[in-house]
Amino acid sequence: MVKFKLMYDKDEEVLSLNEEANKGNAFRKFFLGFYFFEKSEEGKYIYDIDLLSSCKDFANFRKFMNDSNVEVLNRWYRWVYVRKVNDSKGFELYSDVDSKIEHYHKIMKLFKAAFIIEVVCLFVEIFIPLINKRMEIMNFIFISIIAFFAICLYGAYTKMSAKAGFYKQQKDNIGLAD
Amino acid sequence: MSKELPLTETTFYILLALRHPNHGYGIILEVEELTGNRVVLGAGTLYGAINTLIKKRWIKLFSEDLESRKKKEYILTQQGKEAFETEVIRLKELVDISKIMGDINGKI
């Protein structure tokens, strides 16, 4: 089975992969918004998604995860899809508040960089036709597409920022409890 | 060293589990066993923590067999052991001082 979906929130993505796994559709691969599934036992796997610090880190990451009984399925740029056989213990890559904050900060940085690139592209797309005094329908289409992605990225950035803030507050509350 | 303290619970247990050579999954299992399943380390948390501790030279690679599929093992360094001991002294001081509170509801 193949499904197409554009998702900017990795937690929603994980939720959706786990829902499919519970229906007996085990996720195998991601490519340009396409999710590839194969039939499996219902609820056999639990999924999670990580963001590598760098693509160069992938070999080390994969070895470490395999050593820890976590199956690495697919890498998409710095994003990595992993899963574990459901042994009723649950599965989450990040288990403490500090590493969760760090994880969301890493995602925020990526979205921020991508947003800045989109905004630069948007200005180029707007100003070049203006300088040339020739705005065609294709320019409008490109501008709309880039603006759409820029808005999505900004939304994703603020969402990740809220999540990092939530865990930061949790950490501060633990500090108070200490 | 003082800037590094107090240790997070995760770091504390990783250092403890590396008093002998241990691999990633071994650390996860040992920490689960030591804490009666209260602390279950996520593989991502552990991966990040191990890389940080290697950079700090608190732990080091013990063995890596590229030929076979043997798991990478890590072990505590002298520096790591000292950090752990300093933390235990700090925790012991807290526990000792807490005794002035008396035995609250017979729980301590």
Side-chain angles (χ1 to χ4, degrees):
Chain A
M1 181 178 81
V2 183
K3 274 193 172 182
F4 179 79
K5 222 173 183 181
L6 283 178
M7 297 184 95
Y8 284 92
D9 183 335
K10 76 118 208 175
D11 292 331
E12 278 175 19
E13 203 178 349
V14 168
L15 215 65
S16 136
L17 296 181
N18 285 333
E19 274 171 16
E20 285 298 336
N22 288 337
K23 288 186 227 162
N25 301 316
F27 167 76
R28 278 298 310 174
K29 201 181 167 187
F30 173 86
F31 182 75
L32 272 176
F34 290 95
Y35 293 81
F36 296 84
F37 297 89
E38 61 188 16
K39 283 279 157 214
S40 82
E41 249 176 73
E42 287 178 12
K44 187 179 178 187
Y45 299 105
I46 309 182
Y47 289 83
D48 207 346
I49 300 170
D50 202 0
L51 179 68
L52 300 175
S53 301
S54 125
C55 291
K56 286 181 203 160
D57 195 28
F58 183 59
N60 271 335
F61 177 87
R62 186 167 52 188
K63 167 93 177 108
F64 188 89
M65 289 298 147
N66 289 341
D67 284 358
S68 305
N69 281 7
V70 176
E71 188 184 350
V72 177
L73 296 162
N74 186 210
R75 177 172 73 87
W76 175 254
Y77 176 50
R78 280 164 57 197
W79 295 102
V80 189
Y81 293 83
V82 300
R83 75 179 176 191
K84 200 176 175 189
V85 173
N86 189 356
D87 56 3
S88 76
K89 277 188 191 171
F91 171 53
E92 232 187 340
L93 278 174
Y94 293 98
S95 54
D96 68 9
V97 173
D98 289 295
S99 59
K100 279 180 183 169
I101 294 172
E102 205 182 313
H103 175 60
Y104 286 115
H105 276 164
K106 213 192 288 178
I107 301 174
M108 276 165 66
K109 269 190 199 166
L110 177 76
F111 283 147
K112 193 177 171 183
F115 172 72
I116 292 168
I117 292 169
E118 289 289 325
V119 170
V120 170
C121 292
L122 190 63
F123 275 104
V124 171
E125 282 296 327
I126 290 171
F127 282 107
I128 288 182
L130 286 181
I131 291 164
N132 294 337
K133 292 180 182 163
R134 201 175 149 192
M135 184 73 94
E136 289 175 4
I137 187 78
M138 280 311 282
N139 295 112
F140 278 115
I141 293 170
F142 276 129
I143 289 168
S144 310
I145 291 171
I146 295 171
F148 170 75
F149 280 113
I151 292 166
C152 288
L153 286 166
Y154 184 73
Y157 172 81
T158 51
K159 216 168 179 184
M160 293 303 118
S161 170
K163 285 183 188 186
F166 169 78
Y167 287 111
K168 176 82 174 51
Q169 198 175 8
Q170 215 175 60
K171 190 184 170 182
D172 292 344
N173 288 343
I174 294 167
L176 276 177
D178 276 342
Chain B
M1 178 81 70
S2 61
K3 278 185 191 168
E4 312 281 1
L5 297 176
L7 300 181
T8 63
E9 197 174 42
T10 301
T11 305
F12 181 90
Y13 281 118
I14 293 172
L15 295 180
L16 188 62
L18 290 179
R19 65 194 182 282
H20 55 80
N22 213 342
H23 50 76
Y25 195 53
I27 298 170
I28 293 172
L29 291 179
E30 191 166 339
V31 173
E32 280 180 27
E33 200 186 315
L34 287 170
T35 62
N37 290 324
R38 185 180 65 79
V39 179
V40 180
L41 294 179
T45 297
L46 184 60
Y47 181 70
I50 282 183
N51 286 335
T52 307
L53 292 172
I54 286 176
K55 272 185 207 150
K56 282 185 182 175
R57 298 184 181 183
W58 285 10
I59 64 169
K60 64 181 180 187
L61 197 60
F62 179 75
S63 68
E64 181 182 17
D65 196 340
L66 295 173
E67 294 300 312
S68 71
R69 294 176 61 87
K70 208 180 158 204
K71 294 173 176 174
K72 266 186 185 179
E73 286 188 315
Y74 306 89
I75 192 160
L76 198 62
T77 61
Q78 187 56 35
Q79 237 172 305
K81 211 178 269 181
E82 282 166 17
F84 184 82
E85 279 167 2
T86 313
E87 175 68 350
V88 171
I89 291 166
R90 190 189 71 85
L91 291 171
K92 193 174 175 304
E93 185 190 295
L94 285 180
V95 172
D96 288 346
I97 291 172
S98 73
K99 283 175 185 154
I100 61 170
M101 187 70 115
D103 194 355
I104 308 162
N105 301 328
K107 284 182 182 169
I108 299 172

